[in-house]
PDB file of all heavy atoms in Angstrom:
ATOM      1  N   THR A  84      17.917 -13.646  -1.921  1.00 96.00           N
ATOM      2  CA  THR A  84      17.686 -14.941  -1.306  1.00 96.00           C
ATOM      3  C   THR A  84      16.500 -14.808  -0.393  1.00 96.00           C
ATOM      4  O   THR A  84      16.429 -13.916   0.440  1.00 96.00           O
ATOM      5  CB  THR A  84      18.907 -15.347  -0.447  1.00 96.00           C
ATOM      6  OG1 THR A  84      20.071 -15.387  -1.274  1.00 96.00           O
ATOM      7  CG2 THR A  84      18.695 -16.691   0.214  1.00 96.00           C
ATOM      8  N   PRO A  85      15.479 -15.681  -0.613  1.00 95.00           N
ATOM      9  CA  PRO A  85      14.280 -15.572   0.264  1.00 95.00           C
ATOM     10  C   PRO A  85      14.637 -15.576   1.745  1.00 95.00           C
ATOM     11  O   PRO A  85      15.416 -16.397   2.215  1.00 95.00           O
ATOM     12  CB  PRO A  85      13.488 -16.789  -0.138  1.00 95.00           C
ATOM     13  CG  PRO A  85      13.920 -17.114  -1.517  1.00 95.00           C
ATOM     14  CD  PRO A  85      15.383 -16.769  -1.564  1.00 95.00           C
ATOM     15  N   GLY A  86      14.097 -14.611   2.462  1.00 95.00           N
ATOM     16  CA  GLY A  86      14.282 -14.551   3.896  1.00 95.00           C
ATOM     17  C   GLY A  86      15.519 -13.787   4.357  1.00 95.00           C
ATOM     18  O   GLY A  86      15.696 -13.587   5.563  1.00 95.00           O
ATOM     19  N   ARG A  87      16.355 -13.385   3.427  1.00 96.00           N
ATOM     20  CA  ARG A  87      17.614 -12.670   3.821  1.00 96.00           C
ATOM     21  C   ARG A  87      17.600 -11.232   3.237  1.00 96.00           C
ATOM     22  O   ARG A  87      17.686 -11.038   2.054  1.00 96.00           O
ATOM     23  CB  ARG A  87      18.814 -13.443   3.275  1.00 96.00           C
ATOM     24  CG  ARG A  87      18.993 -14.809   3.874  1.00 96.00           C
ATOM     25  CD  ARG A  87      20.274 -15.440   3.399  1.00 96.00           C
ATOM     26  NE  ARG A  87      20.422 -16.805   3.903  1.00 96.00           N
ATOM     27  CZ  ARG A  87      21.430 -17.639   3.605  1.00 96.00           C
ATOM     28  NH1 ARG A  87      22.399 -17.192   2.777  1.00 96.00           N
ATOM     29  NH2 ARG A  87      21.492 -18.843   4.062  1.00 96.00           N
ATOM     30  N   LEU A  88      17.527 -10.293   4.153  1.00 96.00           N
ATOM     31  CA  LEU A  88      17.461  -8.897   3.734  1.00 96.00           C
ATOM     32  C   LEU A  88      18.837  -8.404   3.242  1.00 96.00           C
ATOM     33  O   LEU A  88      19.859  -8.842   3.771  1.00 96.00           O
ATOM     34  CB  LEU A  88      17.002  -7.996   4.903  1.00 96.00           C
ATOM     35  CG  LEU A  88      15.566  -8.236   5.383  1.00 96.00           C
ATOM     36  CD1 LEU A  88      15.350  -7.474   6.691  1.00 96.00           C
ATOM     37  CD2 LEU A  88      14.587  -7.766   4.330  1.00 96.00           C
ATOM     38  N   SER A  89      18.789  -7.517   2.246  1.00 96.00           N
ATOM     39  CA  SER A  89      20.044  -6.902   1.784  1.00 96.00           C
ATOM     40  C   SER A  89      19.822  -5.400   1.575  1.00 96.00           C
ATOM     41  O   SER A  89      19.011  -5.042   0.737  1.00 96.00           O
ATOM     42  CB  SER A  89      20.454  -7.544   0.429  1.00 96.00           C
ATOM     43  OG  SER A  89      21.543  -6.827  -0.112  1.00 96.00           O
ATOM     44  N   PRO A  90      20.488  -4.568   2.347  1.00 96.00           N
ATOM     45  CA  PRO A  90      20.371  -3.124   2.162  1.00 96.00           C
ATOM     46  C   PRO A  90      20.694  -2.708   0.736  1.00 96.00           C
ATOM     47  O   PRO A  90      20.212  -1.668   0.279  1.00 96.00           O
ATOM     48  CB  PRO A  90      21.344  -2.566   3.182  1.00 96.00           C
ATOM     49  CG  PRO A  90      21.463  -3.603   4.225  1.00 96.00           C
ATOM     50  CD  PRO A  90      21.388  -4.899   3.513  1.00 96.00           C
ATOM     51  N   ALA A  91      21.490  -3.480   0.041  1.00 96.00           N
ATOM     52  CA  ALA A  91      21.845  -3.113  -1.341  1.00 96.00           C
ATOM     53  C   ALA A  91      20.643  -3.061  -2.255  1.00 96.00           C
ATOM     54  O   ALA A  91      20.709  -2.418  -3.326  1.00 96.00           O
ATOM     55  CB  ALA A  91      22.870  -4.127  -1.905  1.00 96.00           C
ATOM     56  N   ASN A  92      19.551  -3.680  -1.868  1.00 96.00           N
ATOM     57  CA  ASN A  92      18.335  -3.656  -2.709  1.00 96.00           C
ATOM     58  C   ASN A  92      17.288  -2.658  -2.209  1.00 96.00           C
ATOM     59  O   ASN A  92      16.178  -2.638  -2.749  1.00 96.00           O
ATOM     60  CB  ASN A  92      17.691  -5.071  -2.731  1.00 96.00           C
ATOM     61  CG  ASN A  92      18.489  -6.036  -3.621  1.00 96.00           C
ATOM     62  OD1 ASN A  92      19.065  -5.625  -4.625  1.00 96.00           O
ATOM     63  ND2 ASN A  92      18.511  -7.300  -3.239  1.00 96.00           N
ATOM     64  N   GLY A  93      17.671  -1.835  -1.246  1.00 95.00           N
ATOM     65  CA  GLY A  93      16.716  -0.811  -0.765  1.00 95.00           C
ATOM     66  C   GLY A  93      16.332   0.172  -1.857  1.00 95.00           C
ATOM     67  O   GLY A  93      15.162   0.527  -2.023  1.00 95.00           O
ATOM     68  N   ALA A  94      17.322   0.653  -2.623  1.00 95.00           N
ATOM     69  CA  ALA A  94      17.024   1.598  -3.685  1.00 95.00           C
ATOM     70  C   ALA A  94      16.180   0.974  -4.786  1.00 95.00           C
ATOM     71  O   ALA A  94      15.352   1.681  -5.427  1.00 95.00           O
ATOM     72  CB  ALA A  94      18.352   2.133  -4.290  1.00 95.00           C
ATOM     73  N   TYR A  95      16.338  -0.320  -5.014  1.00 96.00           N
ATOM     74  CA  TYR A  95      15.527  -1.057  -6.013  1.00 96.00           C
ATOM     75  C   TYR A  95      14.038  -1.007  -5.624  1.00 96.00           C
ATOM     76  O   TYR A  95      13.177  -0.778  -6.489  1.00 96.00           O
ATOM     77  CB  TYR A  95      16.043  -2.506  -6.059  1.00 96.00           C
ATOM     78  CG  TYR A  95      15.082  -3.524  -6.602  1.00 96.00           C
ATOM     79  CD1 TYR A  95      14.920  -3.702  -7.983  1.00 96.00           C
ATOM     80  CD2 TYR A  95      14.331  -4.323  -5.763  1.00 96.00           C
ATOM     81  CE1 TYR A  95      14.061  -4.658  -8.477  1.00 96.00           C
ATOM     82  CE2 TYR A  95      13.490  -5.308  -6.236  1.00 96.00           C
ATOM     83  CZ  TYR A  95      13.329  -5.456  -7.603  1.00 96.00           C
ATOM     84  OH  TYR A  95      12.501  -6.395  -8.094  1.00 96.00           O
ATOM     85  N   VAL A  96      13.738  -1.203  -4.358  1.00 97.00           N
ATOM     86  CA  VAL A  96      12.363  -1.154  -3.889  1.00 97.00           C
ATOM     87  C   VAL A  96      11.735   0.221  -4.139  1.00 97.00           C
ATOM     88  O   VAL A  96      10.603   0.343  -4.655  1.00 97.00           O
ATOM     89  CB  VAL A  96      12.276  -1.521  -2.390  1.00 97.00           C
ATOM     90  CG1 VAL A  96      10.864  -1.322  -1.855  1.00 97.00           C
ATOM     91  CG2 VAL A  96      12.720  -2.955  -2.180  1.00 97.00           C
ATOM     92  N   LEU A  97      12.461   1.262  -3.814  1.00 97.00           N
ATOM     93  CA  LEU A  97      11.950   2.632  -3.988  1.00 97.00           C
ATOM     94  C   LEU A  97      11.869   2.994  -5.470  1.00 97.00           C
ATOM     95  O   LEU A  97      10.931   3.727  -5.851  1.00 97.00           O
ATOM     96  CB  LEU A  97      12.833   3.617  -3.232  1.00 97.00           C
ATOM     97  CG  LEU A  97      12.932   3.444  -1.691  1.00 97.00           C
ATOM     98  CD1 LEU A  97      13.679   4.575  -1.086  1.00 97.00           C
ATOM     99  CD2 LEU A  97      11.541   3.306  -1.085  1.00 97.00           C
ATOM    100  N   GLU A  98      12.779   2.537  -6.277  1.00 97.00           N
ATOM    101  CA  GLU A  98      12.712   2.854  -7.705  1.00 97.00           C
ATOM    102  C   GLU A  98      11.496   2.225  -8.336  1.00 97.00           C
ATOM    103  O   GLU A  98      10.849   2.820  -9.227  1.00 97.00           O
ATOM    104  CB  GLU A  98      13.967   2.370  -8.396  1.00 97.00           C
ATOM    105  CG  GLU A  98      14.032   2.665  -9.903  1.00 97.00           C
ATOM    106  CD  GLU A  98      13.928   4.169 -10.224  1.00 97.00           C
ATOM    107  OE1 GLU A  98      14.259   5.031  -9.368  1.00 97.00           O
ATOM    108  OE2 GLU A  98      13.494   4.494 -11.366  1.00 97.00           O
ATOM    109  N   GLY A  99      11.121   1.045  -7.884  1.00 97.00           N
ATOM    110  CA  GLY A  99       9.895   0.445  -8.381  1.00 97.00           C
ATOM    111  C   GLY A  99       8.662   1.274  -8.096  1.00 97.00           C
ATOM    112  O   GLY A  99       7.765   1.445  -8.934  1.00 97.00           O
TER     113      GLY A  99
END
Side-chain angles (χ1 to χ4, degrees):
T84 301
R87 296 184 184 178
L88 295 170
S89 173
N92 286 326
Y95 159 82
V96 173
L97 298 187
E98 180 60 23

